[in-house]
Amino acid sequence: MVFFTSILIVLILYYLQSDGLIYVTIIAVIAEFINIFMTQTLTKSVEKKAALKFGKIAQGYKAKIAAQKKAIKEFEDIQEKSLAKLYRANLKIKEYEEKLANKDNDASLSSTSDIKEKTKPEPEAPKEEKPEEFIDLPSGSNRKKLPG
């Protein structure tokens, strides 16, 4: 476009000489306006394409984040339900242990009085105390301890 405009300007200047200067100025200004208009149109077009492209990408990430938040919420709900069930189960276990302990105490009180009369208690053997060893392995590790 610039090439054709410059050829047109040279031809007008050649044929019209002094009067052609006015026409050349008008043609240059019009060409510059056309150039600015085309640049603006191209810029808007590229901007629109980029917005569509990155808009789709952003929508995809928003959808992934929403799905992940939903999954996290579901897992939290499951965890809360599980904790409530474990808490209730632990309470029941404690109740059963107390009942069992009460039954054992009642049974042992009645049976110990009979047993004490019949047998003498045996003296307990002294227990060997083993010093605690420092183990750097995690519990459940199958690795052998290092000699030393």
Side-chain angles (χ1 to χ4, degrees):
M1 170 125 180
V2 175
F3 178 72
F4 291 120
T5 306
S6 61
I7 289 176
L8 184 62
I9 290 171
V10 169
L11 287 175
I12 291 173
L13 280 175
Y14 179 73
Y15 286 111
L16 298 175
Q17 293 181 1
S18 64
D19 292 335
L21 191 55
I22 295 170
Y23 294 117
V24 167
T25 306
I26 292 171
I27 290 172
V29 170
I30 291 172
E32 198 59 38
F33 279 132
I34 291 171
N35 188 20
I36 289 172
F37 176 73
M38 291 179 80
T39 304
Q40 183 183 12
T41 306
L42 179 67
T43 304
K44 284 184 180 179
S45 171
V46 169
E47 186 178 292
K48 195 179 287 185
K49 286 181 181 179
L52 286 174
K53 179 181 177 182
F54 291 112
K56 288 180 183 178
I57 293 171
Q59 290 298 326
Y61 282 121
K62 285 180 184 177
K64 283 182 183 179
I65 289 172
Q68 288 174 349
K69 284 183 180 179
K70 184 178 178 184
I72 289 171
K73 180 66 176 164
E74 290 174 357
F75 287 136
E76 287 175 349
D77 291 342
I78 291 171
Q79 184 180 16
E80 288 176 12
K81 289 177 184 177
S82 299
L83 288 175
K85 286 180 182 179
L86 283 173
Y87 179 72
R88 286 184 295 221
N90 284 336
L91 287 178
K92 284 186 178 184
I93 289 171
K94 285 181 183 177
E95 288 176 12
Y96 290 140
E97 286 176 348
E98 289 175 2
K99 287 180 183 178
L100 185 63
N102 288 339
K103 285 182 181 179
D104 286 345
N105 286 340
D106 293 341
S108 66
L109 289 177
S110 62
S111 64
T112 53
S113 60
D114 295 336
I115 295 173
K116 283 183 183 176
E117 293 174 3
K118 295 179 181 177
T119 60
K120 294 181 181 178
E122 296 180 18
E124 293 183 17
K127 295 182 181 178
E128 295 180 24
E129 292 189 18
K130 192 174 187 182
E132 292 186 19
E133 296 180 22
F134 175 73
I135 301 174
D136 63 341
L137 300 175
S139 62
S141 175
N142 292 333
R143 194 177 86 190
K144 294 180 181 178
K145 291 189 290 184
L146 297 175

